[in-house]
Amino acid sequence: MDQTHIDALRSLPVAPCRHLIEGQNVPASDGGVMDVVSPIDGRVLTQIARGTSADMERAIASARSSFDDGRWAGQPPGARKKVLLKWADLIEANALELAVLGVRDNGTEIAMALKAEPGSAAGTIRYYAEALDKIYGEIAPTAEGTLGLIHKEPVGVVGAIIPWNFPMMIGAWKLGPALAMGNSVVLKPAETASLSLMRMVELAHEAGLPEGVLNAVTGEGAVVGAALGKSMDVDVLVFTGSGATGRRLMEYSAQSNMKRVYLELGGKSPNIIFADAPNLDEAAKVAAASIFRNAGQVCVAGSRLLVEDAIHHDFVAAVVKAAEAMQVGDPLDVRTTIGAVNSETQLAANLGYVATAQKEGGAVVTGGTQILQETGGYYMAPTVVTDVTADATLTQKEVFGPVLGVSAFKDEAEAIRLANGTVYGLAGGVWTSNLGRAHRMVKSVRTGVMHVNTYGGADGTVPLGGVGQSGNGHDKSLHAIEKYINLKTAWIKL
Ligand code: NAD
């Protein structure tokens, strides 16, 4: 990574961002805009269109007619593959520009943004492009004189609603399989992280995606997101974001056309450290990184640290040391390991959670405060709170910030009980040299992903999805494709 190149890109003016409907950049129908405030310095970076429900209806109508006339779904698989591969190439060719734009918008540290955003988005789109002509229907083993065919068809119009952490990566998790299977899509990026994803949508058109197949509308969730959720003409809704919004989307579906709704929601993921972990120093560094990178704004963050009594004191000291060694600050400095909190609102919420934790008996052993106020940006010191009880707010609620709650346990049974003691079930980790225990913990902790002697870092070949109130359905891997197809049976008398 070249700091000089990053510094040149960071000072470029950012053009106001408009919707992309039917291949055209268009303003909001009433001319409305929203300021984009950079979390790096709290200054206005540019504006995005403040979409109206009429804008969203226009985007949905465009997607519907593009699906119905077969301009994308009707193309031979090889032709669709070519466009998607070219799109992935263009994302890679523009990776630094996209990453810097995204960081100016959402505050993720650049080293992580480069890898996890354009890098991972291009890889995801390529993965589904390569897969699309290897997915076949089936012939059922029916009785003589009959033929049962099972077709795999695109669903139609997919609505995709994206959060502000990792917009390109998470956007690609939805767009890659949806477009590969021949669907048309209407995308709604998050208010505080639209810019890089909208640029990525433009690149899809440069790669040859036909107009109307991918429309994107910016603006407020409660307006344009709700219009997408309530539409009678959207067949599937895929969402990553908070549980509160996920709940609304299910209601919108019930109130409208009962569209399928797939939710990737939050978590309160337990990272469980046994005294027999193979390398406790490594475990402490990974535990700190897993909650503090991207200022804790990672859905699978190991936000609850459960530590066996025998090593609790020394292990917490090692995590605190690792946290204090991390570099908080300007996310566009390649040395930074903890960037900015996404918004002033989110920072206030994080600090509120720390105050509540203290009121409930938690002890802040490092951090707990806003720092670098002189920058005008939103930065928070990595925070470790010990003595967190099973029913404390810090155990039960997702902070989505750089705040780690620590609890002690005495044996495997207590570790499992604590790990499973929330409404969530997204991810978790276990550190032990005992193979039997590792397998028992993987089976017993109710999550979609368990890490063993590591945390995070899973690649695109494995699914990501939650259980409980962390959601349903999966992103990544070939399993994600199920969300974007219908099975149709043809029963034929021979
Ligand atoms: P959010 O729910 O506030 O917003 C997500 C998206 O929903 C945004 O685009 C927003 O505009 C839209 N939205 C808001 N209200 C809406 C409404 N009434 N109708 C339709 N759309 C609406 O979430 P966020 O704060 O952007 O993201 C953080 C959350 O996302 C955290 O809970 C985090 O854990 C979760 N997350 C989960 C995963 C995963 O894979 N499970 C990945 C990343 C983030």
Side-chain angles (χ1 to χ4, degrees), residues 161-165 170 173 188-191 219-222 225-226 239-243 245 248-249 252 264-267 299 398 400 426 464 470 475:
I161 304 181
I162 310 299
W164 43 260
N165 62 330
I170 295 173
W173 288 350
K188 152 69 181 89
E191 296 84 323
E220 291 160 301
F239 170 73
T240 295
S242 64
T245 305
R248 281 198 192 101
L249 297 180
Y252 298 159
E264 303 286 339
L265 307 173
C299 57
E398 182 185 46
F400 216 53
L426 188 56
L464 171 65
S470 287
D475 281 329

Side-chain angles (χ1 to χ4, degrees), residues 10-68:
R10 76 179 301 163
S11 50
L12 293 178
V14 181
C17 176
R18 311 200 293 176
H19 309 317
L20 220 141
I21 302 177
E22 200 65 21
Q24 305 298 315
N25 279 116
V26 291
S29 49
D30 64 0
V33 293
M34 299 171 77
D35 281 344
V36 174
V37 175
S38 176
I40 298 177
D41 54 13
R43 295 207 186 134
V44 175
L45 181 61
T46 186
Q47 273 98 31
I48 55 171
R50 185 191 291 271
T52 62
S53 47
D55 298 340
M56 183 51 86
E57 276 154 29
R58 208 179 134 206
I60 295 168
S62 164
R64 172 54 60 194
S65 63
S66 77
F67 182 75
D68 289 348

Side-chain angles (χ1 to χ4, degrees), residues 412 416 419-420 438-447 450:
E412 221 173 282
I416 294 167
N420 289 338
H439 281 289
R440 284 194 297 278
M441 296 300 288
V442 167
K443 278 182 85 169
S444 306
V445 179
R446 283 193 309 269
T447 61
M450 275 300 278

Side-chain angles (χ1 to χ4, degrees), residues 360-444:
E360 293 177 352
V364 174
V365 288
T366 189
T369 53
Q370 181 182 3
I371 54 173
L372 302 171
Q373 284 94 330
E374 66 281 8
T375 62
Y378 316 130
Y379 300 92
M380 182 167 170
T383 302
V384 179
V385 184
T386 58
D387 304 303
V388 177
T389 57
D391 57 358
T393 305
L394 205 50
T395 298
Q396 297 300 330
K397 298 268 185 231
E398 182 185 46
V399 176
F400 216 53
V403 183
L404 178 65
V406 188
S407 313
F409 66 84
K410 64 176 185 310
D411 56 19
E412 221 173 282
E414 188 177 21
I416 294 167
R417 204 167 50 248
L418 288 172
N420 289 338
T422 75
V423 297
Y424 297 109
L426 188 56
V430 56
W431 297 72
T432 176
S433 301
N434 179 330
L435 187 62
R437 169 182 280 162
H439 281 289
R440 284 194 297 278
M441 296 300 288
V442 167
K443 278 182 85 169
S444 306

Side-chain angles (χ1 to χ4, degrees), residues 57-97:
E57 276 154 29
R58 208 179 134 206
I60 295 168
S62 164
R64 172 54 60 194
S65 63
S66 77
F67 182 75
D68 289 348
D69 68 20
R71 74 186 80 158
W72 177 245
Q75 285 192 26
R80 278 189 272 129
K81 174 191 246 184
K82 206 167 154 197
V83 171
L84 293 179
L85 288 177
K86 176 135 190 245
W87 186 22
D89 290 346
L90 285 176
I91 293 170
E92 256 172 16
N94 291 278
L96 192 62
E97 179 208 316

Side-chain angles (χ1 to χ4, degrees), residues 173-258:
W173 288 350
K174 322 285 191 203
L175 298 177
L179 293 170
M181 290 300 102
N183 297 282
S184 292
V185 181
V186 179
L187 180 72
K188 152 69 181 89
E191 296 84 323
T192 55
S194 298
L195 303 176
S196 55
L197 185 53
M198 291 300 281
R199 176 74 190 120
M200 203 171 102
V201 171
E202 281 176 1
L203 291 177
H205 291 86
E206 286 174 31
L209 192 72
E211 291 166 359
V213 173
L214 172 55
N215 300 306
V217 177
T218 58
E220 291 160 301
V223 179
V224 282
L228 188 60
K230 291 176 187 168
S231 170
M232 295 298 287
D233 226 2
V234 170
D235 300 295
V236 176
L237 204 55
V238 288
F239 170 73
T240 295
S242 64
T245 305
R247 207 176 279 276
R248 281 198 192 101
L249 297 180
M250 292 184 115
E251 286 167 7
Y252 298 159
S253 167
Q255 289 158 10
S256 55
N257 62 346
M258 296 194 282

